[in-house]
């Protein structure tokens, strides 16, 4: 009886994994990008390190002095760049290559910045990253890997066109419509996340000081 239950759990897990294989793949790629980004901080030469420092100080100054609306649109447009790339990449077979790169770069860049803050500003950098940056990074990254997984599925469906001309549109069209509906929902959720990050940024950034 125990063996039957274990076998049933294994089959259930396998079915769940196969159903969401693209999501798990994007999650693995994002995690790999985060690990590479965090570790690469220790290997940056002085030139790149100073570039990141200057960029962060300008970023911090903007968050410190800009009003809520400017901060919100800056956050929204920065994140929207990723989602637009995902949307465009889903419109063809090239998305199979470009989407993993986008997800990896998202993980790499976010953890590279966090690693820089930990290394350069110690406890102040840790506090700023944990309070201002990480909540938004985690929530937006989750949205990104979810919609990227859907986009990869749509992108793979274009293989049907290459395999069989008669199947043109039969597989792709319904998947694309379903994807666009999910994309709009993700976009609305992202607007909410951007609003929350802007509120946190305007409310708490002035408590930090970076020299």
């Amino acid at each position: 009886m125990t063996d039957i239950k274990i076998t049933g759990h294994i089959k259930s897990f396998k079915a769940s994994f196969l159903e969401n294989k693209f999501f798990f793949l994007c999650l693995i790629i994002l995690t790999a990008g985060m690990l590479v980004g965090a570790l690469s901080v220790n290997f940056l030469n002085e030139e790149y390190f100073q570039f990141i420092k200057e960029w962060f100080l300008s970023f911090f100054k903007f968050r410190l002095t800009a009003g809520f609306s400017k901060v919100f649109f800056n956050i929204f447009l920065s994140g929207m760049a990723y989602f637009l790339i995902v949307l465009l990449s889903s419109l063809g077979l090239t998305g199979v290559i470009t989407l993993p790169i986008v997800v990896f770069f998202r993980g790499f860049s976010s953890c590279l910045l966090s690693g820089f803050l930990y290394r350069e500003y110690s406890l102040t950098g840790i506090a700023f990253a944990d309070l201002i940056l990480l909540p938004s990074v985690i929530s937006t990254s989750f949205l990104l890997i979810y919609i990227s997984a859907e986009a990869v599925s749509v992108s793979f469906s274009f293989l049907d066109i290459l395999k069989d001309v008669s199947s043109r549109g039969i597989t792709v069209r319904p998947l694309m419509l379903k994807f666009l509906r999910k994309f709009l929902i993700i976009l609305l959720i992202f607007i909410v996340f951007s609003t929350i990050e802007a509120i946190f940024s305007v409310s708490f950034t002035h408590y930090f000081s970076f020299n």
Side-chain angles (χ1 to χ4, degrees), residues 35-48:
L35 289 173
V36 173
L39 294 174
S40 64
V41 175
N42 296 321
F43 301 98
L44 289 175
N45 59 39
E46 188 63 25
E47 181 180 355
Y48 284 111

Side-chain angles (χ1 to χ4, degrees), residues 23-98:
F23 177 83
F24 287 113
L25 176 63
C26 289
L27 181 60
I28 291 171
I29 293 172
L30 179 77
T31 304
M34 294 172 70
L35 289 173
V36 173
L39 294 174
S40 64
V41 175
N42 296 321
F43 301 98
L44 289 175
N45 59 39
E46 188 63 25
E47 181 180 355
Y48 284 111
F49 193 83
Q50 287 301 317
F51 172 80
I52 295 174
K53 184 174 182 178
E54 290 174 5
W55 177 88
F56 171 73
L57 290 176
S58 65
F59 164 85
F60 175 75
K61 183 178 179 180
F62 174 80
R63 290 290 183 95
L64 186 64
T65 57
F68 171 81
S69 59
K70 288 184 178 181
V71 172
F72 167 79
F73 281 110
N74 178 263
I75 294 168
F76 177 75
L77 293 176
S78 297
M80 200 52 207
Y82 285 98
F83 292 111
L84 285 177
I85 293 173
V86 170
L87 177 62
L88 294 175
S89 297
S90 70
L91 301 176
L93 196 56
T94 55
V96 176
I97 298 173
T98 58

Side-chain angles (χ1 to χ4, degrees), residues 135-155:
S136 174
V137 166
I138 292 172
S139 56
T140 303
S141 294
F142 179 81
L143 295 179
L144 182 67
I145 61 175
Y146 174 81
I147 202 63
S148 294
E150 296 292 329
V152 170
S153 178
V154 173
S155 188

